Structure formats: C-alpha cells, structure tokens
Amino acid sequence: MDFKRKIETGKFVVTTEVAPPRGTDTTLLIEEADLLSGCVDALNVSDNQRSIMRMSPLGVAHVLQEQGHEVILHTTCRDRNRLALQSDLLGAWNLGVRNILAMTGDHPLLGDTMGTKPVYDLDSTQLLQAIQNLNRGHDIMNRRLDGGTGFMAGAVVRPDPNDKMQLLRLKRKVSCGARFIQTQPVYNTEEFKEFIEKVSHLNTHIIAGILPIFSLKTVKFINDKLPGIIIPQEVVERIKNSTDPAEEGIELAAETIKKLQDVAGGVHIMPIITHQHTEAILKRAGMLH
C-alpha cells in the first residue's frame, strides 16, 4: 500500500527524511536510503534545509525513485517566486513525484551563504492553494493547463495546544488542501494528546515528529541550531546519566512512538546526520517484525 493510499484510508504511516548531498556524489544518500528500505512508507527530501546549500531536492527525488523509494518532495517558498514554484511542481509531477510538503522555509540569514536574498513571494498556505489549482488543472491565475497534477499535499506545524495562532494556521492549511501534517519533534506526549484533541475535527492526517537524541552533543545542536524545540530536562538527564547514550536514545524514541501509536496518524523520524539507528528504533517500538 503506497503512502497516499495509507493516508486516504487512515492507516498509521512511518516517514523519515534524507538530506541531499552538498555536491554531486549521491553514494552516501543512496546508502542511507537503502538502510530504510522496508522500514518506512516514504522519504522526505529536504530543500536547502536551514538555508544551507545542497543539491536540488527534485534531482534527489528522481534518483531515489529510480532506486524504488517513494518520496515526499519539500517545496520551499524562500528561494522561488510563484512562476518557479509552479514550474518546478509541474516538472516534479512529470518525473513521477506524487507527494509534496509545502514549506515557507528558514530565512537565509540562518544559512551558510552570505548575501543570499529571500524571495517569499508566497507562503506555505498560498503554496498549498497553488497546488490545489494545479490539481484542478489550472495555474495560479486560474488559466487552464495542458494537463494537471494530482499531488498529495502536506504541511508542517508545531504541535503546541496552547498556541492559538499556530492552531489557526493549521486550520487554514487544511482548508487549503493539506491532506497530511508532519509536526515538529514531540517529547511531551501528554501535551501532544492535548494538541490532537484540539485539532481532531480537522480532515487531515497528523504525523508526529520524532527527533532521536543519542548524545549530549545532539542536545547542544538542537538548542543552538533548532530554535523553538524544547527538550524536557528528564530526557536530557537520561542521556547524561546513561552508560550507553545511543542505546538510551533508541529506547527513548521507541517509548515515545509507543505512546503515540493510538493518538497520532503516524510518526516522522528526523535523525541528525545518520539513519544507522532508525531501524532499531522502529523494531523496539514494535513497528517492524
């Protein structure tokens, strides 16, 4: 059963992500993707994540699909105007991409290329509207196309039950065609349950983010580079006091997934750097046999 069919039938899905290379060598990318074969339903392909220059995600998506992997293509508004966004989406459809994650994108000031100018002609909600138009066979100006698309579109959200603005944005994204939602990392499962209760009326599939922590170095990276993500102190202490932080990280991630299985519509695993522990996490959580 493919990713779209699972979403449409309300099945629990498992997704993860891979980063395009900083160059043209895709050897490591393919090796990482092969580690995930049979473990996940789809691979997110990020788009210059954190405003750091990498290979085009469309090129990577094509490579991965040729290797038999289903992909979710990140499409970011930061670097393209509405002409380029629509053009890239039409090209993606012709290359066999069927799933899109609409993102506004991190500001270039956070990245590695000084002097980069942001575009932000559209935001992620407007991009979702544009995708809806393409799916209906029209461009953003409502002019008929010579062949439309049929994308399964998704978006991202911070799963904070007390952030009214975030909840309103989520409602808006769903109304604009977001059929699935991938959340930022979840560490507090009780808070996530509150969030789900508040958005359960929305017709979308909520996939909870899982960012495993394998060392105190990972904690520092998250605190320094990923603002807005709060790691509970008890999680930090478990890693700090463990004789085997990697093993403790696997256990922590598996515990979180188990608690979310009856609440979320799936999990999205976001390991930093490598997927060497992803299969072990899913096995520990009872997702693989």
Side-chain angles (χ1 to χ4, degrees):
M1 186 181 292
D2 63 17
F3 177 71
K4 181 178 181 180
R5 183 65 60 83
K6 280 195 169 185
I7 295 294
E8 291 175 338
T9 56
K11 302 292 185 183
F12 194 90
V13 297
V14 179
T15 59
T16 188
E17 57 191 54
V18 292
R22 280 182 52 79
T24 58
D25 187 350
T26 59
T27 304
L28 183 59
L29 168 81
I30 293 171
E31 289 175 358
E32 285 283 296
D34 287 345
L35 286 176
L36 303 165
S37 183
C39 298
V40 300
D41 295 297
L43 300 176
N44 282 41
V45 182
S46 57
D47 183 5
N48 290 337
Q49 192 172 25
R50 295 190 291 116
S51 293
I52 294 175
M53 189 283 296
R54 292 178 180 271
M55 181 188 286
S56 160
L58 184 52
V60 169
H62 182 61
V63 169
L64 291 176
Q65 288 185 154
E66 285 192 324
Q67 299 293 316
H69 301 285
E70 182 162 9
V71 301
I72 300 171
L73 179 70
H74 288 206
T75 302
T76 304
C77 299
R78 173 193 58 232
D79 307 319
R80 304 169 185 85
N81 63 21
R82 64 193 68 193
L83 287 174
L85 287 166
Q86 292 176 98
S87 180
D88 282 356
L89 287 167
L90 293 175
W93 180 260
N94 257 23
L95 288 174
V97 173
R98 296 296 180 259
N99 312 301
I100 300 292
L101 191 71
M103 306 184 72
T104 299
D106 299 319
H107 197 281
L109 286 174
L110 302 174
D112 67 344
T113 307
M114 187 181 299
T116 300
K117 292 180 173 59
V119 179
Y120 296 126
D121 186 23
L122 304 179
D123 62 20
S124 58
T125 302
Q126 292 167 321
L127 177 57
L128 287 166
Q129 290 176 311
I131 293 170
Q132 275 190 319
N133 268 20
L134 295 179
N135 285 349
R136 295 176 185 135
H138 293 80
D139 69 8
I140 204 168
M141 300 300 294
N142 208 33
R143 293 174 296 222
R144 184 171 296 278
L145 300 169
D146 295 327
T149 62
F151 289 119
M152 170 70 73
V156 297
V157 70
R158 185 173 69 252
D160 184 347
N162 301 311
D163 188 336
K164 293 182 180 179
M165 185 58 67
Q166 192 75 201
L167 295 173
L168 285 171
R169 286 175 183 158
L170 174 58
K171 183 178 179 180
R172 178 68 173 152
K173 288 176 180 179
V174 174
S175 72
C176 291
R179 302 286 301 281
F180 67 94
I181 301 293
Q182 292 177 327
T183 80
Q184 289 188 1
V186 174
Y187 295 104
N188 186 329
T189 54
E190 292 305 313
E191 187 177 84
F192 184 81
K193 289 176 183 178
E194 290 180 41
F195 167 76
I196 289 295
E197 288 175 5
K198 290 191 175 182
V199 302
S200 60
H201 63 287
L202 299 177
N203 183 27
T204 194
H205 204 87
I206 307 288
I207 304 170
I210 304 292
L211 201 168
I213 298 172
F214 300 123
S215 67
L216 291 178
K217 186 177 179 180
T218 307
V219 173
K220 185 177 187 308
F221 176 86
I222 293 171
N223 289 337
D224 292 347
K225 302 293 185 180
L226 305 177
I229 298 175
I230 299 174
I231 306 172
Q233 190 57 36
E234 56 266 31
V235 171
V236 177
E237 290 299 320
R238 280 183 61 173
I239 295 295
K240 182 178 179 181
N241 297 327
S242 175
T243 56
D244 189 342
E247 174 64 21
E248 191 68 23
I250 291 171
E251 182 62 29
L252 277 163
E255 287 174 9
T256 302
I257 293 172
K258 287 178 180 178
K259 291 176 182 177
L260 294 173
Q261 281 185 40
D262 295 328
V263 183
V267 290
H268 176 63
I269 301 177
M270 302 177 281
I272 295 173
I273 300 176
T274 179
H275 277 288
Q276 63 176 320
H277 300 304
T278 300
E279 183 177 7
I281 290 169
L282 292 171
K283 282 184 176 178
R284 189 79 57 89
M287 308 261 53
L288 299 175
H289 302 286

